[in-house]
Amino acid sequence: TDFKFSNLCGTVYRKGNLVFTPDGNSIISPVGNRVTVFDLVNNKTETLPFENKRDIRRLALSPNGNLLLSVDELGQVLLVNYRKRTVLHYFNLKDKVRDIQFSPDGRYFAVGLGRTVEVWRSPGYTREFAPFELHRKYAGHYDDITHISWAPDSRFFLTSGKDMVARIFSVDPIEGFKPTTLAGHRHAVVGAWFAKDMSAVYTVSADGAICVRRFRPYGVEENLTFGEFPRDDEGNLVRTVWFTESRHYAMQTARVQSAAFSWATGLMVLGFTNGVFGIWEMPEFNMIHSLSISRKKINTIAINPSGEWLAFGSSKLGQLLVWEWQSETYVLKQQGHFYDMSCVAYSGDGQYVATGGDDAKLKVWNALTGYCFITFTEHTSAVTAVHFSKGSQVVLSASLDGTVRAYDLVRYRNFRIFTSPTPVQFTSLAVDPSGEIVCAGCQDTFEIYMWSMQTGKLLDVLSGHEGPISALAFRPDGLSLASSSWDKSVRLWDAFDRSKIVERLDHNNEVLTLAYRPDGKELCASTLDGQIHFWDVLKATATGTIEGRRDIAGGRKANDRQTAANSSSGKCFNSLCYSADGTAVLGGGNSKFVCLYDRRSSILLRKFQVSKNQSLDGVQDKLNSRLMTEAGPADLIDSDGIDSDTEKQVDRSLPGVKSGDKSNRVLKPEVRTRDVKFAPTGRQWAAASTEGLLIYSLDETLIFDPFELDEDVTPDSIRALARTGDYLRALVNAFRLNEQVVIRQVYESIPPLDVALLTKDFPEAYLERLLKFIASIMESSQLLEYHLRWVSGLLSNHGTFVKTRSVALQPVLRMLQRSILRMHQDIGSVCDKNYYSLGYLLAQGKRAAEEAEAGENAGDITMNDVFASFNDGDEQEDAMELDATEVPVST
C-alpha cells in the first residue's frame, strides 16, 4: 500500500509554454495538470509530485532556478520550491492568465490578465502568510495581451496584444519616461523583445511582419540606448521618440503561431501554423535555418540561456522537440499517443514498457528513464493489446485492423504478421511462456486464432464462445489457455491437446477481463456488475468474490442527469492484474480510481486516484449548478476564444445543409483507466489512463522499518561494531534497524577482501533484504566491482536457498538483473566512445612502466608518472601535438 506516484510517461506536452532551467540542461514541460522535467544531459524524466486543479496554461521559473510558478486555466497559481519539489503556497489571480514572466534580477514577475498587466514582488523561499504582494497594475491595451518580456536591466517590460500594438512600461516611475505605444502592425502582435544592449526593440505579428525599432532624440539622426534620457544644456529633458528602422517579412504562406528571441546569440526563432520553424539573425534579419518538424502548428518555442538549444511544442500531436541549430541535430524528440492509450505491458525484466494507443501506434518506453526509444506505425487501426514474449526481445500487438504483428526490439523491425482467413477485429492477445504460440481473440466471429511464432502459420481456430472475446491469458506453465467473453463465461482450453474437454466457468454477467495468479493455481475474472470472481483452476470451483462496484465508482460527468451515486456507468473493472507475489489484485476501469485488494482477506487496501484534473470529465463528485447555462455546461463553451482552434471553426458543411451550433465547444476527455499492469519486480505498477502512462512505485522515503529489533541495536552500537572489525554483526544489526543511511555506511566500510568470507556466513533470513539493498544503490554508486563481488558471493554460497525460494525472490532478482544490465550498457557505451583514447592511455602507461623499470624507482608507477612522461625530451613534440588535437575522453 506504500505505492506513490513516481512518473508520467506517454505524454510529453499538452499545452502551455516550455521553460529551460537556468543551466540550460533541462526543459520543463506542462503535461495536463502536472509538470514534467526532461533532463537532456542525463537522459531522464521526472514528473513533479503535485497537481494543479486544471490543465496548466503557463509556467515561469525564477532566474536562480529556485521558484516555479504554475498557473492553470482559471488563474490558480502554485508557488513551488523547484529544487525541493514542494508546494509553498496557493494563490488565485481570479482571471485567465495570458503570460507570466520573471524579471531578470528575480525581484518581480509580471502577469498578463486579459487587457491588464500586474507586477508582483517575488516571494521568498520560506512559507509566509501572504507571500504574494502586488506592486502595480498597468492598463492601456484594448484587447487581450499575448506576450510579456522584460528588459535586461529589469526596469522596463514590453507587452504585446491582439490590438496590434506593443507597449513599453516601467516597473517604477522614471523621470523622462512615459508608457509608450509601438504601432504599425496589421495583425495581432505575437511577441516583442528588447535587444541585449537596449539599442532596439523587435516586434513580430501573426502575419510574419518583423519590425526593428530604434530610440533617438526627436529630429536627430542619432540612435540612443533606451533607458538613458538625455538633457539639453539647460538641464531640461530632450524629447525622444521610437521609429521603425526596418520592416521584414518571414513567410507569407502561413501565420506565425509562436516566437522567441535569444539575448545570448541575437537570434529570433519563429514557429508557423504549418509546422515549419525558421531562425533569423537580428537586426539584419538574415535567415540561418528553416526546417519542417511537424504536420501541425508549433504552439510554443523556448531557447536555453546559451542559445544553443531550441525547444518546440506542438499541442495537436503532443510533440516535444529540442533542436541544436548549430549541428542541425535533435537533442530530444518525443511524442506521446495523441489519442487514448489503450493497453500496456511490461517486459520480463521490467526494463521496458510497451503501450498501444487508438492512434494505431505501438511505443516502447524505458521504464527507468521514461523516454520512448522506438515507435512502430505499421498498424492501420487502434492497437487493442500488447504483450512481450520470453526474453523481452520481441513485442507483439493486436489491432482492430485484423492483424497481429511481432516486432524485433534488437533490429527494430516488424518481422512477422499474423492474419486470419477472413477479416476480423482482434481485441485480445496472449503468448505462451515459451514464446512459440500466439493467440488472439476477435469481437465479430467470437473465435480464438492460434499461430506459430516460428512459421507464422495458422495452427488452429478455437470456437465455442457465443459473444465477443474480451480477454485471453496463458497459464504460467503454458499448458492451458483461458478466455473470457461477453457470453457470461470463462473457458479453459488445452492448447496442445484438443481431445480434452473444454472447462467452462459460468458467471451471472458479461465477463470483461481475467488474469492468472503467478503460480497458475488461481484465476480471477471481472464481470459487468462490478464483481471480481476467483476460481481454483485445478478444481474449476469458485473460491471467493469481491464486491467492487462501490469501490470503482467514479465521479459525475458534465452531461449526466443522475448523481454519481445513482449512475450505472463505469462501475466495473475492465482490467485486472495480480501482484508479483500473488497476494494482491489491482483493478482499473472507466473511472478516476484504481483499486488494490488483498487476495486472502478480500479487503480493499487502497484506492489510487489517477487524476485530480478538473479539466477532465468525471473527476468531480458533485457539479456546481451555477456553471449550468441554457446552452449547456459552461466548461464546454469557449467564451473568450483562448482555447479555440481555427480547424474547429471552419464550416465544412455542404450548401443547403444546416451548420448546427455555432458556439465553439471544448471537448472534455473522460478520466478513465483502460489497462493496469504490475511490473515483474513487484516494485511498481503502471496504468494506461487518459492522462498518459502513470507509474506508481514503492515509497523509498520510509526509512525506519525495524526488523527483529532489540534495545541494544542503535546506530552508535552498529558503528562501533564496524570500527572494531566485527562487520558481520554490524551489517546484520544494521538490517535489523533498517535505517538506510546506517546500512550504507556499514556496507561500504567492509574491506573488499573480506567480502568472500562474509557472504559465506551471512544469515539467509536477511539475504533478500541485502540483495534488494544492493540493487537499489547499484546505479547511483561508483563501487561497481564491489557490488558485483557481493552479488556473486551471495548467489554462489546460497544458491540452494535462492532456488528453493525462487518465487518469493523473483522480484528482487529481476530488479538486480535490471540494475546490472543498465550498468553494463552504460560502461559498454563509454568504452565504445573512448576506444582509441583508452588505447592511447594504456600504451603511454606501458611505455612509462618500461622506462621506470630501467630506472631506480621501478615498481612505483602512478597515473602522474604516465602524464609526466609526456614532458620528457623526446616526447615533448608528441605532447604538443596531443594538446593541439584535444583527444576527447568522455566520463
Side-chain angles (χ1 to χ4, degrees):
T1 60
D2 295 330
F3 288 98
K4 280 193 174 183
F5 174 79
S6 63
N7 207 354
L8 173 63
C9 303
T11 311
V12 293
Y13 172 76
R14 282 284 174 85
K15 59 182 176 181
N17 64 315
L18 301 172
V19 178
F20 271 101
T21 53
D23 59 3
N25 295 332
S26 301
I27 183 80
I28 304 175
S29 171
V31 182
N33 66 331
R34 298 182 184 270
V35 177
T36 300
V37 181
F38 294 87
D39 191 335
L40 304 176
V41 176
N42 298 318
N43 291 328
K44 285 188 177 181
T45 65
E46 177 190 4
T47 303
L48 304 187
F50 61 83
E51 290 185 79
N52 283 71
K53 286 187 177 181
R54 290 178 177 266
D55 284 341
I56 296 173
R57 174 165 287 162
R58 304 298 297 181
L59 292 173
L61 186 65
S62 62
N64 57 9
N66 288 334
L67 294 180
L68 176 69
L69 294 176
S70 173
V71 189
D72 66 11
E73 293 176 340
L74 297 183
Q76 298 279 346
V77 182
L78 264 62
L79 173 64
V80 181
N81 187 327
Y82 176 72
R83 300 190 187 278
K84 294 187 177 181
R85 308 311 201 237
T86 55
V87 178
L88 299 178
H89 193 73
Y90 297 86
F91 189 71
N92 189 1
L93 291 171
K94 300 179 181 180
D95 199 356
K96 293 185 177 182
V97 175
R98 269 61 179 180
D99 197 8
I100 181 168
Q101 296 289 339
F102 272 96
S103 62
D105 60 4
R107 295 177 55 197
Y108 302 96
F109 65 87
V111 186
L113 300 172
R115 293 178 291 178
T116 63
V117 179
E118 295 181 358
V119 174
W120 297 73
R121 297 186 189 274
S122 294
Y125 307 139
T126 57
R127 291 184 180 272
E128 303 174 31
F129 179 73
F132 289 90
E133 180 184 352
L134 180 63
H135 177 65
R136 283 184 68 186
K137 284 187 177 181
Y138 302 84
H141 282 279
Y142 294 96
D143 206 340
D144 289 338
I145 291 171
T146 58
H147 182 261
I148 298 175
S149 65
W150 286 82
D153 59 2
S154 300
R155 294 193 301 158
F156 305 93
F157 61 91
L158 270 165
T159 60
S160 311
K162 293 182 180 178
D163 54 357
M164 300 179 288
V165 300
R167 293 182 66 89
I168 305 175
F169 297 98
S170 64
V171 177
D172 297 307
I174 298 176
E175 187 179 4
F177 171 78
K178 293 181 180 180
T180 308
T181 301
L182 305 178
H185 286 285
R186 298 181 178 179
H187 288 78
V189 180
V190 177
W193 298 269
F194 285 101
K196 188 176 182 180
D197 57 359
M198 300 282 288
S199 62
V201 166
Y202 309 120
T203 58
V204 182
S205 61
D207 60 348
I210 295 94
C211 294
V212 180
R213 306 170 191 267
R214 300 287 184 178
F215 184 65
R216 63 173 53 168
Y218 180 74
V220 179
E221 298 291 332
E222 180 183 355
N223 297 333
L224 297 176
T225 299
F226 181 68
E228 300 175 0
F229 303 100
R231 297 176 181 270
D232 56 17
D233 297 336
E234 298 178 358
N236 298 322
L237 289 168
V238 177
R239 181 185 175 188
T240 54
V241 294
W242 284 93
F243 77 101
T244 304
E245 182 183 62
S246 58
R247 185 187 298 268
H248 311 277
Y249 292 92
M251 182 183 295
Q252 300 300 314
T253 58
R255 294 171 63 88
V256 176
Q257 181 67 26
S258 54
F261 179 74
S262 172
W263 283 338
T265 58
L267 298 180
M268 180 173 289
V269 185
L270 305 180
F272 298 91
T273 54
N274 57 358
V276 176
F277 80 90
I279 305 174
W280 285 268
E281 186 180 8
M282 301 300 292
E284 294 82 7
F285 201 70
N286 299 324
M287 174 173 274
I288 296 177
H289 191 61
S290 180
L291 182 70
S292 176
I293 58 174
S294 178
R295 292 179 285 116
K296 300 294 182 180
K297 62 184 179 182
I298 300 174
N299 294 84
T300 180
I301 299 175
I303 307 176
N304 74 334
S306 64
E308 299 173 348
W309 291 348
L310 315 176
F312 304 94
S314 177
S315 177
K316 191 74 174 179
L317 298 178
Q319 290 178 320
L320 176 61
L321 308 171
V322 179
W323 176 261
E324 186 175 7
W325 63 273
Q326 292 175 334
S327 62
E328 299 185 4
T329 57
Y330 283 108
V331 179
L332 175 70
K333 189 178 182 180
Q334 294 286 298
Q335 179 181 355
H337 294 280
F338 53 88
Y339 291 127
D340 269 0
M341 188 181 296
S342 58
C343 48
V344 61
Y346 271 98
S347 61
D349 55 3
Q351 192 172 359
Y352 304 125
V353 182
T355 59
D358 291 346
D359 56 357
K361 292 182 180 180
L362 173 66
K363 292 179 175 288
V364 185
W365 308 79
N366 189 312
L368 182 65
T369 64
Y371 280 108
C372 173
F373 62 90
I374 185 64
T375 302
F376 297 104
T377 59
E378 282 79 6
H379 282 295
T380 57
S381 188
V383 178
T384 54
V386 293
H387 203 289
F388 278 93
S389 70
K390 183 180 179 182
S392 304
Q393 294 185 351
V394 176
V395 61
L396 296 99
S397 61
S399 172
L400 294 179
D401 61 4
T403 63
V404 175
R405 296 176 181 266
Y407 301 94
D408 184 0
L409 292 184
V410 178
R411 299 176 180 85
Y412 299 142
R413 62 187 181 94
N414 177 205
F415 70 93
R416 192 79 76 225
I417 302 176
F418 306 98
T419 58
S420 58
T422 57
V424 295
Q425 291 182 315
F426 293 115
T427 56
S428 54
L429 179 67
V431 183
D432 77 321
S434 65
E436 298 293 332
I437 304 298
V438 179
C439 296
C442 60
Q443 66 178 10
D444 29 26
T445 62
F446 316 149
E447 295 173 331
I448 302 171
Y449 294 86
M450 187 180 297
W451 298 275
S452 169
M453 176 70 83
Q454 294 290 337
T455 62
K457 294 182 178 180
L458 183 65
L459 300 178
D460 203 352
V461 179
L462 308 181
S463 304
H465 278 295
E466 300 172 359
I469 310 297
S470 58
L472 293 175
F474 268 100
R475 206 164 76 183
D477 58 9
L479 297 179
S480 67
L481 172 70
S483 62
S484 63
S485 171
W486 291 5
D487 63 1
K488 304 180 182 181
S489 70
V490 171
R491 297 177 186 247
L492 304 179
W493 314 77
D494 193 304
F496 303 100
D497 189 359
R498 291 299 307 279
S499 62
K500 292 185 178 181
I501 299 176
V502 178
E503 198 74 53
R504 180 186 173 109
L505 310 178
D506 290 318
H507 297 72
N508 295 327
N509 281 277
E510 289 82 355
V511 184
L512 302 180
T513 187
L514 58 85
Y516 266 109
R517 201 167 66 184
D519 60 3
K521 296 180 180 179
E522 188 179 77
L523 179 144
C524 67
S526 71
T527 53
L528 194 59
D529 58 354
Q531 293 183 345
I532 302 176
H533 301 273
F534 297 92
W535 298 84
D536 188 324
V537 176
L538 300 179
K539 299 179 182 179
T541 57
T543 58
T545 302
I546 293 178
E547 179 63 52
R549 183 178 177 84
R550 291 186 177 181
D551 301 331
I552 195 64
R556 185 175 180 180
K557 301 177 181 61
N559 292 319
D560 281 354
R561 297 188 178 274
Q562 300 91 4
T563 61
N566 295 330
S567 176
S568 60
S569 63
K571 294 188 176 181
C572 55
F573 298 94
N574 56 20
S575 59
L576 292 174
C577 182
Y578 275 96
S579 61
D581 55 3
T583 59
V585 177
L586 192 69
N590 292 332
S591 78
K592 59 181 177 179
F593 293 116
V594 173
C595 300
L596 182 66
Y597 293 96
D598 180 65
R599 170 60 194 100
R600 184 172 299 175
S601 60
S602 299
I603 294 177
L604 176 67
L605 297 177
R606 189 174 173 189
K607 287 169 68 173
F608 300 92
Q609 185 170 345
V610 296
S611 180
K612 297 179 181 178
N613 188 2
Q614 296 180 11
S615 296
L616 301 177
D617 211 6
V619 173
Q620 293 177 290
D621 294 325
K622 297 180 179 180
L623 299 180
N624 191 345
S625 59
R626 291 182 299 176
L627 300 178
M628 186 62 66
T629 64
E630 294 180 356
D635 288 342
L636 301 183
I637 301 175
D638 186 14
S639 57
D640 58 357
I642 193 170
D643 292 320
S644 64
D645 193 342
T646 53
E647 296 179 6
K648 297 178 183 177
Q649 298 174 352
V650 177
D651 186 11
R652 293 190 175 92
S653 58
L654 295 174
V657 178
K658 291 183 179 181
S659 59
D661 191 359
K662 282 289 186 182
S663 63
N664 182 25
R665 300 282 166 171
V666 180
L667 175 65
K668 288 185 69 173
E670 179 184 346
V671 59
R672 57 179 176 173
T673 304
R674 297 183 62 176
D675 197 8
V676 292
K677 284 291 188 299
F678 256 105
T681 59
R683 306 284 300 175
Q684 65 181 17
W685 57 269
S689 70
T690 311
E691 292 276 77
L693 182 66
L694 302 171
I695 297 179
Y696 288 76
S697 301
L698 284 177
D699 185 16
E700 302 293 346
T701 60
L702 296 177
I703 297 175
F704 188 70
D705 183 16
F707 181 74
E708 297 180 359
L709 189 61
D710 295 331
E711 292 183 0
D712 58 343
V713 179
T714 63
D716 294 334
S717 64
I718 293 171
R719 295 187 182 100
L721 287 173
R723 284 194 297 268
T724 58
D726 196 350
Y727 298 112
L728 183 59
R729 284 184 58 195
L731 189 59
V732 170
N733 286 348
F735 277 106
R736 291 170 68 183
L737 186 64
N738 205 16
E739 193 169 337
Q740 296 295 321
V741 177
V742 179
I743 294 174
R744 186 157 188 171
Q745 288 177 354
V746 175
Y747 173 79
E748 294 181 351
S749 66
I750 299 173
L753 297 178
D754 294 350
V755 171
L757 183 62
L758 290 177
T759 54
K760 186 176 182 181
D761 298 332
F762 194 79
E764 295 177 344
Y766 300 91
L767 183 63
E768 181 180 358
R769 289 171 173 262
L770 179 56
L771 290 174
K772 188 183 296 185
F773 168 75
I774 295 174
S776 64
I777 69 169
M778 181 174 287
E779 296 185 20
S780 61
S781 174
Q782 299 177 353
L783 308 175
L784 179 58
E785 183 182 359
Y786 185 71
H787 300 319
L788 294 178
R789 282 193 181 190
W790 273 99
V791 174
S792 177
L794 290 172
L795 296 181
S796 300
N797 294 315
H798 303 280
T800 305
F801 175 79
V802 173
K803 189 174 182 180
T804 55
R805 298 198 57 190
S806 59
V807 177
L809 293 175
Q810 193 173 20
V812 180
L813 296 176
R814 282 177 175 167
M815 184 179 175
L816 195 64
Q817 181 190 18
R818 187 180 69 175
S819 300
I820 294 175
L821 285 175
R822 175 74 178 175
M823 296 299 294
H824 180 267
Q825 292 174 358
D826 291 345
I827 294 175
S829 62
V830 170
C831 292
D832 290 341
K833 293 178 182 177
N834 299 279
Y835 179 79
Y836 295 104
S837 301
L838 290 173
Y840 178 79
L841 291 176
L842 290 174
Q844 291 296 326
K846 186 177 179 181
R847 191 169 185 176
E850 292 175 354
E851 294 177 357
E853 288 179 0
E856 296 179 356
N857 299 324
D860 298 327
I861 303 299
T862 64
M863 287 303 295
N864 292 329
D865 298 329
V866 176
F867 290 108
S869 65
F870 295 160
N871 298 324
D872 293 344
D874 55 341
E875 294 292 333
Q876 190 171 6
E877 295 181 0
D878 295 339
M880 292 175 65
E881 292 178 1
L882 174 66
D883 293 337
T885 54
E886 295 183 358
V887 177
V889 179
S890 300
T891 58

